[in-house]
Amino acid sequence: MADKVKLHYFNGRGKMESIRWLLSVAGVEFDEFHLTTREQYLKMLNDGDLMFQQVPMVEIDGMKLIQTKAILNYIAEKYHLHGNDIKERVNINMYSEGLMDLMEMIMILPFSEDPKAKLDNIESKAKERYLPVFEKQLMEHVYLVGGRLSLADVLLMECTLMLEEKFVGILADFRNIKSFQGRMSKNPAISRFLQPGSKRKPQPDDVYRKTVREVFNLNISFP
Ligand code: GSN
C-alpha cells in the first residue's frame, strides 16, 4: 500500500491550503507535519528536503514535492481534475493562475504593512478584474472547463469563500458564482471539508503570523 501523503507546512492556510482543498476533493487522506520552530525548518534544509529552501513540501508517491503549482498540477493530473486534453488543461491553468494571483494578495495581508489600504485594492480588483470572468463563464456552464469538476473549480470555491470572509456580500452581484458555490457545497467531499473539525484551516491569527516570522527569521514586511 502506498504511504499516506504527508504535508509539511505551518498550522495555517498559506500556500498549503489549496493543496488541502484539492486532496480533500480527490478523496486522498493526508497527515500534516507542522513547522513550529526554526530548528525544524533548519533540519529540513539540512536533510535536503527543500529544493529551493521553501515550503510547502508534500511527500507523495515516494517523492518530496515542492512548488505549490507543481504539487497542485500533479494531484490534479493524478485524480483526473486536470481536463481531458491539452486545450482543456491550459484553460484550467489560466483560471487557476488567476485565482492563485488573487488569493496570494489576501494571503500576504497578515505580513503587510497597512493591510487596510490593501484590502480596498483587493476588493476592487476582485470585483472588476476577476469575478466577472467567472460569472460570465458560469452563466452557461456548470463547471468552469470541460463539463466536469477540475482544479479550477476547487480553487474558485476556495477563493470565493476567502473573499466573502473579507468582504461580506461581495458576491451579491455575481449570482452565477453564488449558485456555483451552492452546487459545490453539495459535493460530498467538499461538504465534509467545510464542516468543523476537517483539515480546513481557519483564517490566519497572531500565533500563525508569529510562527512564520520566527521560523524564517523575518523582520521585513511584504510590499
Ligand atoms: O508557490 C511556491 O510554493 C513557491 N513559489 C513559493 C513558496 C514560498 O514562498 N514559501 C515560503 C513560505 S509560504 N509563504 O509564502 C517560504 O518557504 N519562504 C522561505 C524563504 O526563505 O523563501
Side-chain angles (χ1 to χ4, degrees):
M1 204 179 81
D3 285 341
K4 204 162 163 189
V5 173
K6 296 187 180 76
L7 310 192
H8 297 267
Y9 198 69
F10 301 98
N11 184 17
R13 286 184 186 172
K15 287 180 174 283
M16 190 64 97
E17 191 68 357
S18 298
I19 297 170
R20 296 186 184 103
W21 266 92
L22 193 63
L23 286 169
S24 301
V25 171
V28 179
E29 288 192 14
F30 56 86
D31 288 328
E32 298 217 25
F33 296 84
H34 293 146
L35 270 177
T36 55
T37 65
R38 182 152 178 85
E39 287 65 37
Q40 289 171 318
Y41 171 63
L42 295 176
K43 180 171 187 323
M44 289 179 85
L45 291 183
N46 272 332
D47 292 348
D49 287 346
L50 305 178
M51 188 188 282
F52 299 122
Q53 303 167 18
Q54 293 175 321
V55 287
M57 192 272 275
V58 174
E59 292 186 66
I60 183 169
D61 297 337
M63 301 179 287
K64 290 182 176 174
L65 301 183
I66 48 96
Q67 287 293 358
T68 312
K69 291 171 192 172
I71 297 166
L72 288 170
N73 289 347
Y74 180 81
I75 298 164
E77 200 82 33
K78 181 170 179 183
Y79 294 99
H80 312 293
L81 294 162
H82 215 185
N84 281 320
D85 56 37
I86 56 171
K87 288 191 175 175
E88 284 188 3
R89 198 159 307 139
V90 76
N91 275 288
I92 290 168
N93 290 345
M94 288 197 298
Y95 287 127
S96 299
E97 292 278 341
L99 289 163
M100 285 189 276
D101 285 350
L102 179 53
M103 283 194 277
E104 184 139 339
M105 291 181 216
I106 299 175
M107 209 181 288
I108 64 173
L109 280 174
F111 305 98
S112 304
E113 278 169 24
D114 197 7
K116 285 206 167 55
K118 294 200 171 57
L119 270 177
D120 288 344
N121 178 43
I122 296 171
E123 185 174 18
S124 50
K125 279 244 172 67
K127 281 181 173 167
E128 288 157 27
R129 179 180 295 189
Y130 293 99
L131 292 174
V133 171
F134 299 101
E135 180 68 5
K136 183 159 176 261
Q137 181 66 0
L138 291 171
M139 196 181 302
E140 292 179 358
H141 299 91
V142 174
Y143 298 109
L144 287 170
V145 179
R148 66 183 179 129
L149 186 69
S150 76
L151 167 64
D153 301 298
V154 178
L155 294 176
L156 179 60
M157 184 68 179
E158 180 190 359
C159 182
T160 54
L161 292 176
M162 254 171 118
L163 285 171
E164 287 186 308
E165 285 172 348
K166 292 280 172 218
F167 315 109
V168 176
I170 190 170
L171 296 183
D173 294 332
F174 299 95
R175 286 162 177 243
N176 299 322
I177 297 177
K178 202 67 204 161
S179 312
F180 164 87
Q181 272 190 339
R183 290 195 298 279
M184 290 285 279
S185 315
K186 294 200 181 84
N187 170 304
I190 293 178
S191 163
R192 281 193 296 278
F193 192 63
L194 294 173
Q195 296 295 318
S198 80
K199 298 271 175 83
R200 188 172 179 224
K201 299 293 175 198
Q203 291 198 63
D205 59 12
D206 285 344
V207 175
Y208 171 72
R209 187 166 39 209
K210 190 164 168 280
T211 309
V212 174
R213 285 190 177 284
E214 282 174 6
V215 166
F216 294 138
N217 253 346
L218 267 187
N219 295 310
I220 45 130
S221 301
F222 291 91

